[in-house]
Amino acid sequence: MVRGVDGCPAGWIAVTIAAEGPLTPCVTITRNFADLTTGVEKIAVDMPIGLPETAGPGGRGPETLVRPLLGERQSSVFSVPSRAAVFAADYGEACRIALATSDPPRKVSKQAFFLFPKIRELDALLQAEPALVGRVHEVHPELAFWRLNGERPVPLPKKVSSRGHPPGLALRRDMLVGAGFPQSFLADPPRGAGLDDLLDAAVNALVARRLHAGTAQPFPDPPRRDAHGLPVAIWA
């Protein structure tokens, strides 16, 4: 079994599928990422892994490699600031530290700041349990859909003005059905997650299949390592 994971309002949403053959998907909601690390060979999670001491133009590096592939969807890939900024106590401090540890100087977006608790949770787990580093991989849903769409950007947005965009969600759902997911499985998200979260976790699970098969591609290739030895790459 392999697992695709995405952050959601209730914590984490995970879609687990067979590594080979029919997908046979199931969905789980949990508060703690550690709950998702058993029973599967590979985990593909939409959350930054590997934090820089200083951030360059566009973030750590992987972000600048995948954005050009996504066309109008490239704004969904936010720039990851320095480790010190991610571990700041509040938004003001995060911005001050990010300005001092980036070149050119760049503050932290609110979107990125709200993800910091989950980034810290994942970072702490991987440092505490190094054996997980070979099983847990960073992915990005829009890059995963790019791969599923024949390495072409998805033409419609998933959200407009922070709200779900029905045509874009329907297009992604149809792509997943074409990849083997039952239509009924993708009809309604579980309580604590949105439809976009469910679709993202599902497409991440397909990257986890590729990781298991050895056919997934890292950006950059080979992955870099941060100061703590964690890989810095987005897989697809």
Side-chain angles (χ1 to χ4, degrees):
M1 306 300 286
V2 296
R3 185 166 286 152
V5 183
D6 190 40
C8 67
W12 302 91
I13 180 172
V15 170
T16 305
I17 61 175
E20 301 176 79
L23 298 181
T24 60
C26 65
V27 63
T28 305
I29 297 276
T30 184
R31 178 63 60 185
N32 301 310
F33 187 88
D35 298 338
L36 301 173
T37 59
T38 59
V40 291
E41 297 296 318
K42 291 289 185 179
I43 299 170
V45 57
D46 176 24
M47 199 59 60
I49 295 173
L51 302 174
E53 301 306 299
T54 58
R60 302 167 297 169
E63 299 94 322
T64 61
L65 294 175
V66 304
R67 284 191 188 108
L69 304 176
L70 302 183
E72 296 181 9
R73 309 282 81 78
Q74 62 183 279
S75 62
S76 65
V77 183
F78 72 84
S79 297
V80 179
S82 68
R83 174 175 290 277
V86 171
F87 279 80
D90 56 46
Y91 181 66
E93 181 183 357
C95 285
R96 288 192 296 272
I97 294 175
L99 283 170
T101 55
S102 58
D103 184 20
R106 182 185 179 92
K107 291 184 177 180
V108 173
S109 69
K110 280 291 183 70
Q111 178 191 14
F113 178 75
F114 291 139
L115 293 177
F116 285 1
K118 284 186 168 62
I119 297 175
R120 294 193 294 263
E121 178 188 357
L122 187 54
D123 182 83
L125 178 64
L126 293 178
Q127 290 195 56
E129 300 187 36
L132 291 175
V133 173
R135 294 174 49 219
V136 179
H137 300 265
E138 176 184 348
V139 298
H140 192 284
E142 286 306 306
L143 188 66
F145 278 115
W146 166 84
R147 180 72 75 189
L148 188 58
N149 196 39
E151 300 186 4
R152 298 185 305 271
V154 181
L156 297 175
K158 183 172 57 184
K159 287 186 175 182
V160 174
S161 300
S162 300
R163 293 180 177 272
H165 184 55
L169 293 171
L171 175 58
R172 287 163 177 78
R173 184 171 54 235
D174 290 345
M175 291 169 62
L176 290 167
V177 170
F181 279 94
Q183 179 88 30
S184 58
F185 178 79
L186 302 170
D188 294 301
R191 184 175 180 180
L195 178 57
D196 59 320
D197 302 321
L198 174 61
L199 299 180
D200 286 352
V203 78
N204 292 348
L206 295 179
V207 181
R209 258 197 172 197
R210 291 174 56 82
L211 285 160
H212 182 267
T215 59
Q217 176 185 358
F219 296 84
D221 188 3
R224 302 188 183 105
R225 296 275 172 171
D226 73 0
H228 294 261
L230 298 181
V232 182
I234 299 174
W235 291 78

